[in-house]
Amino acid sequence: MSRYSDEERQRIRAESYQTLQRVDAVLAGAPQQNIDVASDDDAFVEAALSQPLEDRVERWKREAEEQTAREQRAVRERRRSEHRVEPAPVNLDLKIAEALAGERRFIVEVIGETVAELVERQRESINDALRPLRIELAELKIAHADAKVAIAELRAQQSGGGIIDPPALPQRDRPN
């Protein structure tokens, strides 16, 4: 069993259709047509279907044209107001100071990049100069280790009371 009587349902339906019709009319910009829904539902459906629907593309075009017109009006208003106002006095000292500050920032940036490049080049040249010294140091460490081994073997032979046969020391090739 329904909460509403047939008359109440018909009245609610009629009010709903009229509300939808008013909303559609406002959105479409069309004048409102009052259709008596309470009398005949089929007539309302036929009347609603007979009204042309606005194409999306046409609506977007219309809205875009309206927006363009609003923007053009705003631009014209701004130009009118700019022409009415006297130009503000130009502070040349401030303009010159701003230009000089910009030039100083640029020069400091360029000098910083140049110094960074020079430091990198210097670091690379130092590493290149140290490379042969590091190689020679590694060779000396190896020779020192070999000499320690030879000394240890000599001490072992000497403590044993036997004949000392000194091992051959490693020969190092020296570049000319």
Side-chain angles (χ1 to χ4, degrees):
M1 178 166 184
S2 176
R3 288 178 20 178
Y4 301 105
S5 67
D6 289 336
E7 293 171 4
E8 289 175 327
R9 277 186 279 183
Q10 207 170 27
R11 182 185 53 78
I12 292 170
R13 190 177 299 134
E15 288 176 5
S16 299
Y17 285 134
Q18 288 176 352
T19 302
L20 288 172
Q21 189 178 16
R22 283 193 306 267
V23 169
D24 287 341
V26 168
L27 291 177
Q32 290 187 4
Q33 297 176 354
N34 289 327
I35 299 174
D36 186 17
V37 178
S39 64
D40 187 13
D41 289 336
D42 292 333
F44 175 74
V45 171
E46 287 178 29
L49 291 176
S50 67
Q51 294 178 0
L53 295 176
E54 184 178 20
D55 185 23
R56 286 186 193 177
V57 175
E58 291 174 6
R59 187 181 77 222
W60 292 338
K61 183 180 176 184
R62 178 181 45 81
E63 290 173 353
E65 289 170 352
E66 291 170 358
Q67 178 66 25
T68 303
R70 284 191 299 269
E71 290 171 356
Q72 289 173 350
R73 281 192 303 271
V75 167
R76 284 192 301 268
E77 278 296 317
R78 190 179 67 235
R79 286 183 182 160
R80 282 186 206 135
S81 66
E82 287 174 356
H83 289 296
R84 291 181 203 143
V85 178
E86 293 181 21
V90 177
N91 187 349
L92 292 178
D93 292 335
L94 179 63
K95 293 268 188 194
I96 291 170
E98 289 173 350
L100 286 175
E103 286 297 317
R104 284 185 190 125
R105 281 191 298 271
F106 175 73
I107 289 171
V108 166
E109 185 177 321
V110 169
I111 289 174
E113 290 175 1
T114 305
V115 168
E117 288 177 11
L118 291 174
V119 165
E120 180 64 23
R121 286 183 193 165
Q122 188 65 31
R123 186 188 61 79
E124 288 175 0
S125 66
I126 289 172
N127 282 340
D128 291 344
L130 287 177
R131 189 171 293 118
L133 295 175
R134 287 182 181 140
I135 292 171
E136 187 175 346
L137 178 63
E139 290 173 354
L140 288 175
K141 285 181 181 180
I142 292 170
H144 182 253
D146 289 343
K148 280 186 174 181
V149 169
I151 290 172
E153 287 176 357
L154 286 174
R155 284 189 181 151
Q157 285 179 0
Q158 186 180 17
S159 65
I163 300 174
I164 299 176
D165 188 20
L169 293 176
Q171 296 294 325
R172 200 170 134 224
D173 294 334
R174 292 198 176 242
N176 292 333

